[in-house]
Amino acid sequence: QVQLVESGGGLVQAGGSLRLSCVASGVGSGSIFRINSMAWYRQAPGKQREVVATITNGGGTTNYADSVQGRFTISRDNAKNTVYLQMNSLKPEDTARYYCNRANANLLLSWGQGTQVTVSS
């Protein structure tokens, strides 16, 4: 079974930056990770989970939610089974728990614990 472990969150002031990481591990994780588009999701208290950014299996194509376009950058290192989210110019509305998973919502893996990002104004 593939496990997803997110890290890198924390408390930051508005305008600051954070870099999140997500490592896929477990049986079959390497092959599963390399052939799948991946995504970062976030969920704020009282809100539904939303897609923040996606990246294709080779890393050649990325897409972003309008709310983070130009501020966040998704990338991946297939050799390390890791996907990253560089977050710059953070805003209080970016406060949420961040998760990674497959980009295809019909093929989601078990969710990891996520990593909390809190942006103070």
Side-chain angles (χ1 to χ4, degrees), residues 94-115:
D94 294 320
T95 295
R97 196 157 193 88
Y98 286 71
Y99 304 83
C100 73
N101 211 313
R102 285 173 168 170
N104 187 332
N106 295 317
L107 295 174
L108 293 175
L109 300 167
S110 296
W111 292 98
Q113 292 189 331
T115 185

Side-chain angles (χ1 to χ4, degrees), residues 2-92:
V2 177
Q3 292 88 40
L4 300 169
V5 179
E6 300 90 352
S7 63
L11 173 63
V12 63
Q13 288 189 331
S17 298
L18 286 172
R19 189 192 194 207
L20 307 184
S21 299
C22 171
V23 180
S25 63
V27 177
S29 58
S31 57
I32 289 174
F33 185 83
R34 282 190 292 272
I35 66 174
N36 280 279
S37 295
M38 296 295 291
W40 279 96
Y41 301 78
R42 68 185 180 186
Q43 187 168 22
K47 295 187 177 181
Q48 288 190 332
R49 191 171 291 170
E50 62 175 349
V51 177
V52 174
T54 64
I55 185 167
T56 51
N57 60 331
T61 300
T62 57
N63 285 287
Y64 299 91
D66 289 344
S67 58
V68 306
Q69 180 75 47
R71 301 187 297 121
F72 290 11
T73 302
I74 187 171
S75 61
R76 66 191 295 163
D77 185 338
N78 286 345
K80 297 181 179 180
N81 290 355
T82 302
V83 60
Y84 304 97
L85 186 68
Q86 177 67 43
M87 305 187 297
N88 299 328
S89 302
L90 283 161
K91 303 176 180 180

